[in-house]
Amino acid sequence: MTLISSSIGRKVAMALSGIFLVVFLTQHFSINLLSIFSKSLFNQVSHFMGNNPIVQFILQPILILGVLFHFTMGFILELQNSKSRSSKYSSYKGRANATWMSRNMILSGIVILSFLALHFYDFWVPEMNYKYVEVLPLDANRYYEELVHKFENPIRVGIYVLSFIFLSLHLLHGFASSFQSVGVNNKYSKTIKKIATGFSIIVPIGFVFIALFHHLK
Amino acid sequence: MNLTLKVWRQANKSAKGKIETYQIKEISPDMSFLEMMDVLNEQLMLEQIDPIAFDHDCREGICGMCSMFINGEAHGPDRLVTTCQLHMRKFKDGDTITIEPFRAKAFPVIKDLTVDRSSFDRVQQAGGFVSVNTSGNTQDANAIPIDKHDADKAFDAATCIGCGACVATCKNASAMLFVSAKVSQYALLPQGKVEATDRVLNMVKQMDEEGFGNCTNTGACEVECPKGISLENIARMNREYLFASLKG
């Protein structure tokens, strides 16, 4: 109990849930990327992910718990941190010693959370409705068309692009920072930072590219 | 140099403070910041105004007493210096300088720019020491072989003067850099390893009880630290704490 109730315990938990979400993001990106190259392969993989019982009933609940934990803990930490300095500075030069990304994780996090709400409304809710409420017949070829249909609306694509800019900003601090939180700060840290920075830029750009590709096609 | 100073004035811990503006003339660029404050206080006393209370002691960057937040930064705009080592040549003639106390729930203001940093003392007392048997048979420390890299890192951590700039500058008012320096200083040495588990658990527990915020790895503390204490120490403390928690 000491571990989870302490400031370091919460920090480590935040980092581990963040790394878990980065792993999920990589998997999500890989599947989305397939839609650029092969309609049938994208449909096949999506069908597997949507109907495999291990993915559906074990991995999916773990993922939802991971997301819930990460943002709930983020809000709790933000609240605690704001209480630790009740009297604010009249002059505070935050940019002199820390990056914008590191100082505004709660802001980028809220944008990503808002996007997740839209994303769930767009894809997850209809999917759950299709499979478990209306119990419609299995159709292994519907996923690609559903994806393309969603990206027809320019407003949705615009929100998508904006959200992924904030995801990139969130990752630019959060990814490398999570290694520091779990105690990794050694000769490999510069390499980890470079890889994390590359990931934080390339993956969101990739998501944006996929959205624009289907919108403009 | 002629300057406009905006200084936080607060009569006591419970009083409501506010920023007061003072004009000061003919300040030498070679003066230290604290000498400039002395000149200001002389001027205020001649004007029958209560002089500004501020912390200071050694005035050579060793004691860690001076604690001002100058133009939005702990110990002012210079790097790797305390306020007493900051010189007026870092400012320009005609500048407006805002001077505030270090602000944190765990550092309550005593008066004007002086703050109560005894929370650091209590964290230190919770485990920042090595219990030494003083029976007269204590082993000579130099007789214990220590890896040069570890010795250097322990020494670097030990240069922390406990000034509180890390807390003051952190957007979360976190004390992790200070506590991690104290934990690392001992954790790296064989003499400190004996009590390592209790030390890190007790010091972190005390740190949390004092009301410091959580670390979000912004790195601001490392930049503003007058002694250049590295974030590597925080990672080490995290490791120490994780293993100590699992060990119990």
Side-chain angles (χ1 to χ4, degrees):
Chain A
M1 274 314 287
T2 315
L3 183 61
I4 200 67
S5 62
S6 73
S7 56
I8 294 181
R10 287 190 293 263
K11 179 179 173 171
V12 170
M14 195 67 182
L16 291 177
S17 61
I19 291 172
F20 169 70
L21 294 177
V22 165
V23 172
F24 162 71
L25 196 68
T26 312
Q27 171 258 321
H28 196 329
F29 176 66
S30 311
I31 296 174
N32 281 24
L33 198 60
L34 291 176
S35 70
I36 301 278
F37 303 108
S38 166
K39 180 180 172 178
S40 64
L41 192 57
F42 176 75
N43 276 333
Q44 268 181 324
V45 176
S46 300
H47 187 71
F48 170 79
M49 295 298 283
N51 294 283
N52 184 288
I54 295 172
V55 175
Q56 282 295 293
F57 303 115
I58 298 174
L59 297 183
Q60 186 168 258
I62 291 173
L63 173 66
I64 292 172
L65 281 176
V67 172
L68 285 172
F69 177 84
H70 195 70
F71 79 74
T72 307
M73 187 57 94
F75 284 124
I76 291 170
L77 292 176
E78 184 66 21
L79 199 66
Q80 283 182 341
N81 292 341
S82 66
K83 282 182 188 164
S84 62
R85 181 173 290 127
S86 44
S87 176
K88 305 290 175 205
Y89 288 110
S90 65
S91 170
Y92 183 76
K93 217 176 272 179
R95 67 181 184 282
N97 45 45
T99 62
W100 186 93
M101 287 78 81
S102 70
R103 290 180 284 119
N104 292 281
M105 289 298 274
I106 191 72
L107 173 68
S108 53
I110 288 170
V111 173
I112 297 162
L113 185 62
S114 311
F115 167 75
L116 272 183
L118 174 72
H119 200 56
F120 265 56
Y121 173 78
D122 270 355
F123 290 98
W124 192 76
V125 173
E127 187 66 17
M128 292 298 114
N129 185 50
Y130 187 102
K131 283 189 296 203
Y132 305 120
V133 181
E134 292 183 23
V135 200
L136 296 171
L138 288 180
D139 176 7
N141 299 313
R142 65 190 167 91
Y143 303 98
Y144 185 84
E145 299 306 332
E146 284 174 4
L147 176 82
V148 172
H149 174 66
K150 289 292 177 193
F151 288 128
E152 280 170 3
N153 185 342
I155 296 170
R156 181 179 277 111
V157 174
I159 294 171
Y160 207 87
V161 172
L162 187 72
S163 304
F164 275 91
I165 291 171
F166 277 89
L167 176 68
S168 177
L169 295 171
H170 199 74
L171 288 171
L172 276 168
H173 174 67
F175 194 0
S177 167
S178 53
F179 287 88
Q180 160 82 9
S181 292
V182 296
V184 180
N185 187 332
N186 51 33
K187 61 182 176 181
Y188 303 113
S189 293
K190 279 186 182 168
T191 311
I192 291 172
K193 174 86 178 162
K194 279 180 192 164
I195 294 170
T197 304
F199 180 94
S200 308
I201 295 169
I202 292 166
V203 170
I205 286 178
F207 272 110
V208 167
F209 172 76
I210 295 164
L212 291 175
F213 175 85
H214 291 298
H215 178 69
L216 298 171
K217 201 173 67 171
Chain B
M1 297 170 79
N2 297 330
L3 301 160
T4 302
L5 304 175
K6 289 177 174 262
V7 186
W8 182 260
R9 302 302 312 261
Q10 185 172 334
N12 54 56
K13 191 176 176 177
S14 50
K16 194 171 180 284
K18 63 173 181 174
I19 296 271
E20 293 280 0
T21 305
Y22 304 107
Q23 303 295 331
I24 191 163
K25 293 191 170 77
E26 295 175 14
I27 290 295
S28 163
D30 295 329
M31 277 182 183
S32 76
F33 199 85
L34 294 188
E35 283 168 339
M36 183 277 293
M37 292 299 291
D38 293 336
V39 173
L40 174 64
N41 272 346
E42 293 279 345
Q43 181 183 310
L44 292 179
M45 283 188 282
L46 288 173
E47 293 170 12
Q48 305 292 314
I49 299 171
D50 191 25
I52 300 159
F54 62 91
D55 280 320
H56 61 101
D57 191 4
C58 74
R59 298 204 177 201
E60 53 185 5
I62 296 169
C63 72
M65 273 308 286
C66 49
S67 61
M68 296 175 197
F69 210 74
I70 302 160
N71 278 352
E73 289 184 81
H75 297 299
D78 214 352
R79 294 286 173 256
L80 298 171
V81 295
T82 51
T83 300
C84 62
Q85 295 171 301
L86 175 68
H87 285 87
M88 296 313 295
R89 53 180 169 267
K90 289 288 169 185
F91 301 91
K92 291 196 289 288
D93 183 36
D95 271 1
T96 297
I97 305 173
T98 306
I99 310 164
E100 295 176 80
F102 281 2
R103 292 191 191 281
K105 188 182 157 197
F107 286 172
V109 171
I110 299 168
K111 186 183 179 186
D112 298 334
L113 304 173
T114 59
V115 293
D116 180 358
R117 285 168 283 180
S118 56
S119 49
F120 268 16
D121 297 339
R122 290 187 290 275
V123 172
Q124 187 77 355
Q125 285 156 9
F129 50 81
V130 174
S131 305
V132 179
N133 184 348
T134 53
S135 63
N137 299 320
T138 312
Q139 187 181 2
D140 187 338
N142 291 321
I144 305 168
I146 299 169
D147 181 281
K148 177 76 170 81
H149 302 289
D150 287 344
D152 286 349
K153 283 180 180 173
F155 189 84
D156 286 346
T159 59
C160 168
I161 52 176
C163 66
C166 46
V167 174
T169 202
C170 174
K171 78 178 188 66
N172 311 320
S174 168
M176 288 250 188
L177 194 68
F178 164 75
V179 182
S180 70
K182 302 303 170 194
V183 166
S184 291
Q185 177 186 338
Y186 300 109
L188 286 158
L189 301 176
Q191 295 94 328
K193 284 197 166 78
V194 182
E195 295 165 298
T197 303
D198 285 346
R199 177 180 304 113
V200 71
L201 292 176
N202 292 338
M203 288 183 84
V204 170
K205 182 170 177 274
Q206 189 64 38
M207 174 182 79
D208 290 347
E209 282 174 9
E210 295 291 345
F212 293 107
N214 300 284
C215 171
T216 51
N217 301 327
T218 67
C221 52
E222 184 184 52
V223 175
E224 296 291 346
C225 174
K227 297 297 163 187
I229 302 293
S230 164
L231 287 184
E232 195 184 326
N233 292 298
I234 299 185
R236 183 177 298 105
M237 177 170 72
N238 294 346
R239 286 198 300 275
E240 287 274 323
Y241 188 82
L242 281 175
F243 290 124
S245 298
L246 297 173
K247 198 174 161 189

